[in-house]
Amino acid sequence: MMEERPPIIVRRVRKGHHAHGGAWKVAFADFATAMMAFFLVLWLSEAATEDQKEAISGYFTDPVGFEQGGSPYVIDLEGSVTVTVTQDTAGKPQDQPDVRMREDTIQDLAAQLEQQKLTRLMQEIMTQIEKNPKLNAFKDQLLLDITDEGLRIQIVDKRQRPMFDSGRSELRPYFEDILFELAKSIAKVRNKISVSGHTDAQPFLGRDNYSNWELSADRANAARRALVEGGLPEGRMARVVGLASSVLFDEKEPYNPVNRRISILVLNKKTQEDIEDAEHADSAYSTPDLLEELDRTLDRQGRKPEFDPDKDLPVDDKPAPNADGLTW
């Protein structure tokens, strides 16, 4: 009997033509859209004026600055805002919007920047005092603070370590060294300087016609000379004054040695302008100018005075007539 074998199954795959998917349609749509956009850009470029083309170029050069500084509409499409870009810095197109900051805002920003500059200078000097042996030995006599007028550096006196001999305006050598070191840091900023001399309330009795006013002024000038020798330009001096005991450091104890001091003020811009304006105001009018202004004022008021010896002189001062009846 023959053994049965399993049947052999042959599977034939018929090859035929199947339909493609829809991916090509998406790609073709993207291509058609891109071509439409391209031809639209060509048409707009042909229709745009030269100024509008410059505006388009400016937008693609700096989009952020363009949007912050003007209108986001590059081309005028009948009703939108037109932005005109020009290279002429002297003139401004009439249709370009103004971008202005308030003057007080600018002044506030400038004052803040200057305040930061003076604060950095104060920190630099304080660091120098800590690191420099000459300054560190006198750090308890060096007082720094920021005021409304600028950075104030005060060098106060002590009984054990005075800046000056009693009644003298010559600086002790070690205080000259202190001013030399301070001048190096102060010279790094362009602000002008005011130097003031102060005394305590003890009257000066050393010389005739010489008081604490003259003494404080002479001491302020001695400090000025030391700063200039230390490297501070002479032209940076805005004011050197002697204040005697009119501005006491310790008002409760007028005779306290700390009232004898030198104040160095690194002026801020506002204080410097106030000083310059005051100087200009003092020299604005000469005596003839003032007399002419007085005459004009009296003329406007209709009461210009005229000298009449019969009315304006006392009886005893009136000139007596001579033999011819004339008065002299």
Side-chain angles (χ1 to χ4, degrees):
M1 218 180 142
M2 295 181 63
E3 183 180 355
E4 292 183 2
R5 296 181 179 180
I8 299 174
I9 300 174
V10 179
R11 302 183 65 180
R12 299 181 182 276
V13 179
R14 295 183 179 181
K15 296 182 179 180
H17 182 73
H18 298 281
H20 294 287
W24 68 274
K25 298 178 182 179
V26 177
F28 182 77
D30 292 341
F31 173 76
T33 303
M35 291 300 296
M36 183 180 65
F38 175 70
F39 285 111
L40 181 61
V41 169
L42 292 178
W43 174 74
L44 290 174
S45 299
E46 182 66 23
T49 64
E50 291 297 326
D51 292 339
Q52 290 171 339
K53 290 178 181 179
E54 290 182 8
I56 296 172
S57 176
Y59 173 80
F60 285 102
T61 301
D62 184 13
V64 176
F66 187 90
E67 292 183 0
Q68 290 180 353
S71 169
Y73 301 101
V74 182
I75 301 177
D76 187 6
L77 299 176
E78 297 184 0
S80 63
V81 180
T82 300
V83 176
T84 303
V85 178
T86 178
Q87 300 296 328
D88 184 11
T89 57
K92 176 179 67 60
Q94 296 297 325
D95 55 351
Q96 184 171 345
D98 291 332
V99 179
R100 297 181 179 177
M101 295 181 66
R102 292 173 57 89
E103 183 178 356
D104 53 355
T105 302
I106 296 176
Q107 292 179 352
D108 290 342
L109 292 174
Q112 292 177 10
L113 291 175
E114 189 170 33
Q115 188 82 353
Q116 293 176 2
K117 180 175 64 175
L118 294 178
T119 302
R120 287 195 300 269
L121 176 61
M122 182 178 70
Q123 294 173 349
E124 178 182 339
I125 294 176
M126 293 176 66
T127 302
Q128 186 180 3
I129 292 173
E130 293 295 332
K131 294 182 178 180
N132 192 317
K134 292 181 179 179
L135 297 178
N136 189 265
F138 300 92
K139 64 180 181 181
D140 57 336
Q141 293 179 246
L142 293 171
L143 308 177
L144 285 77
D145 62 336
I146 299 290
T147 69
D148 294 337
E149 296 180 329
L151 170 60
R152 181 174 58 184
I153 307 169
Q154 298 188 94
I155 310 173
V156 300
D157 212 345
K158 281 196 171 183
R159 288 189 177 91
Q160 299 83 2
R161 291 180 301 196
M163 285 182 289
F164 303 90
D165 291 330
S166 178
R168 304 294 297 273
S169 60
E170 294 80 11
L171 278 164
R172 291 286 187 93
Y174 45 81
F175 273 100
E176 281 188 346
D177 294 338
I178 291 177
L179 292 173
F180 290 166
E181 297 296 331
L182 291 176
K184 297 176 183 177
S185 295
I186 298 175
K188 294 180 180 179
V189 296
R190 297 183 179 181
N191 302 56
K192 289 198 172 184
I193 309 299
S194 172
V195 182
S196 304
H198 303 264
T199 66
D200 57 21
Q202 183 68 38
F204 181 82
L205 303 175
R207 282 184 281 170
D208 294 336
N209 299 323
Y210 194 88
S211 65
N212 282 337
W213 292 100
E214 288 79 11
L215 179 62
S216 60
D218 290 342
R219 289 180 172 180
N221 265 309
R224 176 193 61 81
R225 289 191 293 269
L227 290 171
V228 172
E229 291 176 11
L232 187 67
E234 181 73 36
R236 297 271 296 281
M237 291 292 171
R239 181 177 59 187
V240 179
V241 295
L243 299 176
S245 59
S246 61
V247 184
L248 294 173
F249 185 85
D250 186 358
E251 296 181 354
K252 296 181 179 180
E253 296 185 20
Y255 302 109
N256 191 331
V258 297
N259 292 314
R260 303 191 297 264
R261 66 196 189 280
I262 296 294
S263 296
I264 303 169
L265 188 62
V266 183
L267 302 173
N268 56 31
K269 184 178 180 181
K270 181 180 182 303
T271 305
Q272 179 179 330
E273 291 177 349
D274 290 343
I275 293 174
E276 294 173 352
D277 291 343
E279 292 175 353
H280 293 161
D282 291 341
S283 59
Y285 291 101
S286 61
T287 301
D289 294 334
L290 291 173
L291 293 176
E292 291 178 5
E293 181 66 24
L294 177 60
D295 289 340
R296 287 193 294 269
T297 302
L298 293 174
D299 285 339
R300 287 194 299 269
Q301 297 176 354
R303 55 181 184 87
K304 183 176 180 179
E306 295 181 357
F307 179 74
D308 186 352
D310 293 332
K311 296 180 180 179
D312 298 334
L313 285 178
V315 177
D316 295 339
D317 294 337
K318 291 181 180 179
N322 58 11
D324 297 327
L326 301 176
T327 57
W328 300 95

